[in-house]
Amino acid sequence: YSDCLEDLTKHNSFLVKEFLNLNKKYTQNICFELCKQHDLIKNCKCFSYYYPRIKNARPCQTFDEIKCVANFEEFNLTKCLN
């Protein structure tokens, strides 16, 4: 979770693999957004269009799913620091 420009393909974490699928330049912000999206998917069982998409997840579309996303906005980024 830094601005380092090292070869990310050397890492084997889920979030690094998802980032590499985005074909974007690495930034710390994108990394945090992916982390938030990953946790949102675990909690709401769908992805939000506000954050980078994670493969094999479906979009939030029902009222209950959208409500879950709205309630999830209180996400604590410290979860992404470990």
Side-chain angles (χ1 to χ4, degrees), residues 48-73:
S48 169
Y49 286 108
Y50 295 117
Y51 306 107
R53 183 169 181 193
I54 291 180
K55 284 176 35 176
N56 300 322
R58 60 178 197 75
C60 299
Q61 296 177 322
T62 69
F63 177 78
D64 287 340
E65 291 170 342
I66 294 168
K67 186 175 165 185
C68 180
V69 171
N71 291 335
F72 191 76
E73 290 304 313

Side-chain angles (χ1 to χ4, degrees), residues 9-54:
T9 60
K10 294 178 183 177
H11 300 278
N12 196 26
S13 77
F14 172 78
L15 290 177
V16 168
K17 289 178 184 176
E18 288 300 321
F19 168 75
L20 292 172
N21 286 328
L22 293 174
N23 292 318
K24 292 187 177 188
K25 182 179 180 214
Y26 176 85
T27 66
Q28 189 178 49
N29 191 51
I30 288 176
C31 191
F32 283 131
E33 287 177 355
L34 275 170
C35 179
K36 187 171 183 175
Q37 180 80 286
H38 180 63
D39 209 44
L40 188 142
I41 291 168
K42 285 195 292 187
N43 284 283
C44 300
K45 310 296 186 240
C46 57
F47 75 84
S48 169
Y49 286 108
Y50 295 117
Y51 306 107
R53 183 169 181 193
I54 291 180

Side-chain angles (χ1 to χ4, degrees), residues 2-8 25-26:
S2 70
D3 291 322
C4 297
L5 299 175
E6 66 180 276
D7 183 3
L8 292 175
K25 182 179 180 214
Y26 176 85

